[in-house]
Amino acid sequence: MKKVFLGIGALFLLFVAGLVVLMTVDFNRLNKEAYYVHITTDGKVEEFKASNGEIWKSYWYEIPAYDENGKELTLKFSAHKNLRHDAYMKLYVKKETEVTSYDEVKFHELPKKVQELMKK
């Protein structure tokens, strides 16, 4: 009987641990390449109308991005709001061009090589 309760307890702990991992790990950022951009213009607005009549907007950006070694790549990505002018963003990229997520970062948080390229 003890073995049954221990087995049930172990399964419960595994289930709870799995839930915690699913709730805390952002799979859109996990194992992605980081590229950095400087937002200087507004995004191009694209509107979508939902079936209930609600209007959704996406703001599209196509700008040069740099990896930590200074390699340049033009990336196209969207945001649900117009990003702040003069903001520095860290983009999470998979398959070389697919942006899965982004974060705003401070200039001093950029890699040194990227800082040099963005000062120009």
Side-chain angles (χ1 to χ4, degrees), residues 17-71:
L19 282 177
V20 168
V21 167
L22 288 174
M23 291 172 50
T24 57
V25 174
D26 187 352
F27 292 101
N28 287 325
R29 296 182 175 138
L30 192 63
N31 293 327
K32 305 297 186 281
E33 290 187 52
Y35 280 84
Y36 302 89
V37 297
H38 186 202
I39 304 297
T40 57
T41 62
D42 289 334
K44 294 180 182 171
V45 180
E46 186 176 10
E47 291 185 354
F48 302 95
K49 190 171 186 178
S51 59
N52 64 359
E54 191 174 355
I55 295 177
W56 294 74
K57 291 183 181 180
S58 286
Y59 296 86
W60 285 92
Y61 297 86
E62 188 168 357
I63 53 179
Y66 302 95
D67 71 2
E68 63 184 13
N69 298 318
K71 177 184 160 197

Side-chain angles (χ1 to χ4, degrees), residues 80-110:
H80 294 292
K81 63 178 185 173
N82 207 13
L83 299 176
R84 185 176 65 80
H85 283 233
D86 206 32
Y88 296 96
M89 308 298 288
K90 179 179 183 179
L91 306 179
Y92 298 89
V93 180
K94 73 176 186 179
K95 298 179 184 175
E96 294 189 23
T97 59
E98 186 179 333
V99 177
T100 59
S101 189
Y102 59 85
D103 288 321
E104 184 172 347
V105 294
K106 304 286 185 205
F107 184 79
H108 70 273
E109 296 173 322
L110 299 173

